[in-house]
Amino acid sequence: MSDGLFDVPGHAGSESDAQRDGGVDYFRGPGTAAPLAVRMRPESLDEVVGQQHLLGPGSPLRRLIEGSGAASVLLYGPPGTGKTTLASLISHATGRRFEALSALSAGVKEVRAVIDLARRRLTAGERTVLFIDEVHRFSKTQQDALLAAVENRIVLLVGATTENPSFSVVSPLLSRSLVLRLHSLTESDIRVVLRRAIDDPRGFGGAYTVTDAALDHLVRIAGGDARRALTALEASAESSLDGAVDVELVEASVDKAAVRYDRAGDQHYDVVSAFIKSIRGSDVDAALHYLARMLSAGEDPRFLARRLVISASEDIGMADPTALQTAVAAAQVVQLIGMPEAQLTLTHATIHLATAPKSGAVPAALGAAMADISAGMAGLVPAHLRDGHYAGAAALGNAKGYRYPHDDPDGVLPQQYPPDELVGADYYTPTDHGHEREIGPRVQKLRRIVRGG
């Protein structure tokens, strides 16, 4: 039996646990039975495509891959960007025994078993690389079980995650590891990956002819994910009867590109953030793109409606008072008719908010008022504004001297409303955008009358 849970070519051991149990074998060697994406996994640093920002001379990741680094590392980035590949290269370069766990199936028991094995090896002079795929799916307890082993370098941890570790990895483990962010591959990167798979003996070895249009389409639907690109190429090639792959065959073999959006992950927050910032920036087309992206991925329409209601006050406010009405109506429609029809209403509201004049005066006004409260400026309510509807109120002077605004022909009259400490404080500052262009002069006039200026 092999010591490792997953064997790596070049390491001692026979059949891996993954092969015996029918699970995932991350580092299965090239072979015609293996998926194209596995066969084409880079075997050296020179074959790695993209991520040049992490692979420069002397960089921590290059040192690890070249076998001279010692720090544990968390590789963070979208699917298909090379996290598993880099982990494989690190294990080969360091010459250490390699163990791999998937957070989808491993628990604390498995983690501790690997650490105990690594500790025994260490006494014999052997070191261990522990690769954990989907590390963000480990619970806090599971992650805590790694801390001592990582800190004492019983194992060199290589964790792979599609989520921002700041949200999904415990702080002690973060502080003991290098966090390296991988980027989605560029279109030119994907093209290199596909062309290599078409020509390389590990791939199709020139057995298929792929048209330029088909290659362009494969690049486009990949969305920066090399694994997706290779899977689509393989599906298309398998459908070819004569060794030719054209764009029609690709379209027939691949229904559509999977939407790059994880409702439970950091991409969820990234896309939602981009959606709101596009509305705030008045880019209606970008806002519609992110809305469609979230709807296509099955995002909860109630969540989207709530974000629109917030944006209506936060980013538009009194510059267009009807924006809030539209957003609230959209939220009600979502509850009333549900999906898919409510998609149109959410689109309606998105267009209204994105094209409306913008003002940050509402949150600024609240922030200014809150700042004074935090600073302790919360004095006594003026006596003439206090409640005078209970027995004994008059004896306390409550409501005495209060002037009823409706008695004035204009409905506004001089009177002190704030506590003494805040007389003259201006919180709301209208912009000259949209409706606030009209309300601004009115606010100034009202202040002059009320303050007796």
Side-chain angles (χ1 to χ4, degrees), residues 337-417:
I337 67 173
M339 298 293 277
E341 292 83 357
Q343 293 181 112
L344 295 176
T345 306
L346 291 171
T347 303
H348 175 167
T350 296
I351 293 172
H352 184 156
L353 270 60
T355 57
K358 302 301 188 295
S359 171
V362 168
L366 177 61
M370 287 289 195
D372 277 351
I373 297 300
S374 297
M377 299 176 68
L380 295 175
V381 173
H384 59 279
L385 299 184
R386 297 174 195 167
D387 182 15
H389 293 88
Y390 61 91
L396 296 173
N398 289 6
K400 188 176 296 183
Y402 172 64
R403 302 182 66 191
Y404 191 53
H406 295 303
D407 289 339
D408 188 275
D410 294 328
V412 186
L413 44 75
Q415 185 163 231
Q416 180 181 333
Y417 290 96

Side-chain angles (χ1 to χ4, degrees), residues 275 279 284 287-288 291-292 295 304-305 308-309 312 316 320 322-331 333-334 337 340-356 358:
F275 174 57
I279 290 175
V284 63
L288 289 171
L291 174 67
L295 290 173
L304 297 175
L308 288 168
V309 171
I316 298 165
D320 180 0
T322 66
L324 180 58
Q325 298 171 13
T326 297
V328 170
V333 168
V334 166
I337 67 173
E341 292 83 357
Q343 293 181 112
L344 295 176
T345 306
L346 291 171
T347 303
H348 175 167
T350 296
I351 293 172
H352 184 156
L353 270 60
T355 57
K358 302 301 188 295

Side-chain angles (χ1 to χ4, degrees), residues 306-321:
R306 289 194 295 269
R307 294 303 307 168
L308 288 168
V309 171
I310 294 168
S311 178
S313 292
E314 182 179 15
D315 300 319
I316 298 165
M318 291 300 295
D320 180 0

Side-chain angles (χ1 to χ4, degrees), residues 124-412:
E126 284 189 306
R127 294 188 175 273
T128 302
V129 170
L130 172 57
F131 173 67
I132 300 180
D133 196 22
E134 307 272 2
V135 67
H136 61 275
R137 296 184 183 274
F138 263 180
S139 68
K140 181 180 183 300
T141 301
Q142 289 168 311
Q143 292 183 36
D144 286 343
L146 294 166
L147 291 177
V150 171
E151 185 171 26
N152 297 322
R153 294 189 173 175
I154 295 170
V155 298
L156 188 154
L157 173 67
V158 180
T161 174
T162 56
E163 295 192 8
N164 189 332
S166 298
F167 298 136
S168 55
V169 176
V170 296
S171 296
L173 190 56
L174 274 177
S175 67
R176 290 164 172 79
S177 307
L178 292 173
V179 178
L180 304 177
R181 182 171 187 175
L182 281 66
H183 296 161
S184 293
L185 301 185
T186 66
E187 290 191 354
S188 60
D189 292 334
I190 296 294
R191 196 176 301 276
V192 169
V193 169
L194 289 169
R195 180 54 64 188
R196 182 184 295 165
I198 294 167
D199 298 334
D200 194 290
R202 287 180 296 164
F204 295 135
Y208 293 91
T209 301
V210 181
T211 67
D212 290 340
L215 196 63
D216 290 342
H217 188 60
L218 287 166
V219 169
R220 186 163 53 252
I221 66 176
D225 184 331
R227 187 184 304 111
R228 184 188 301 164
L230 292 169
T231 300
L233 172 62
E234 186 172 32
S236 303
E238 289 175 348
S239 301
S240 176
L241 300 177
D242 57 1
V245 176
D246 57 20
V247 69
E248 289 76 15
L249 183 63
V250 175
E251 289 175 340
S253 303
V254 184
D255 290 334
K256 64 178 181 178
V259 177
R260 178 62 57 78
Y261 180 76
D262 178 359
R263 287 176 56 192
D266 72 292
Q267 291 175 26
H268 162 87
Y269 298 104
D270 288 345
V271 175
V272 169
S273 175
F275 174 57
I276 294 303
K277 288 173 181 173
S278 297
I279 290 175
R280 183 180 300 141
S282 299
D283 190 330
V284 63
D285 304 296
L288 289 171
H289 163 78
Y290 292 117
L291 174 67
R293 192 161 163 177
M294 291 185 286
L295 290 173
S296 296
E299 179 58 81
D300 185 347
R302 296 170 299 177
F303 170 77
L304 297 175
R306 289 194 295 269
R307 294 303 307 168
L308 288 168
V309 171
I310 294 168
S311 178
S313 292
E314 182 179 15
D315 300 319
I316 298 165
M318 291 300 295
D320 180 0
T322 66
L324 180 58
Q325 298 171 13
T326 297
V328 170
Q332 292 173 336
V333 168
V334 166
Q335 296 286 353
L336 183 64
I337 67 173
M339 298 293 277
E341 292 83 357
Q343 293 181 112
L344 295 176
T345 306
L346 291 171
T347 303
H348 175 167
T350 296
I351 293 172
H352 184 156
L353 270 60
T355 57
K358 302 301 188 295
S359 171
V362 168
L366 177 61
M370 287 289 195
D372 277 351
I373 297 300
S374 297
M377 299 176 68
L380 295 175
V381 173
H384 59 279
L385 299 184
R386 297 174 195 167
D387 182 15
H389 293 88
Y390 61 91
L396 296 173
N398 289 6
K400 188 176 296 183
Y402 172 64
R403 302 182 66 191
Y404 191 53
H406 295 303
D407 289 339
D408 188 275
D410 294 328
V412 186

Side-chain angles (χ1 to χ4, degrees), residues 13-29:
S14 56
E15 184 182 39
S16 73
D17 286 349
Q19 291 165 320
R20 289 193 301 274
D21 299 338
V24 177
D25 189 354
Y26 292 100
F27 304 112
R28 178 169 45 175

Side-chain angles (χ1 to χ4, degrees), residues 8 11 26-27 41-42 48 61 64-65 73 75 82-94 98-100 129-133 156-160 182:
V8 182
H11 287 255
Y26 292 100
F27 304 112
R41 179 165 289 139
V48 174
L61 184 55
L64 273 173
I65 293 174
V73 61
L75 301 173
K83 297 184 295 297
T84 305
T85 291
L86 292 172
S88 175
L89 293 176
I90 291 169
S91 72
H92 283 291
T94 58
F98 189 84
E99 302 291 343
V129 170
L130 172 57
F131 173 67
I132 300 180
D133 196 22
L156 188 154
L157 173 67
V158 180
L182 281 66

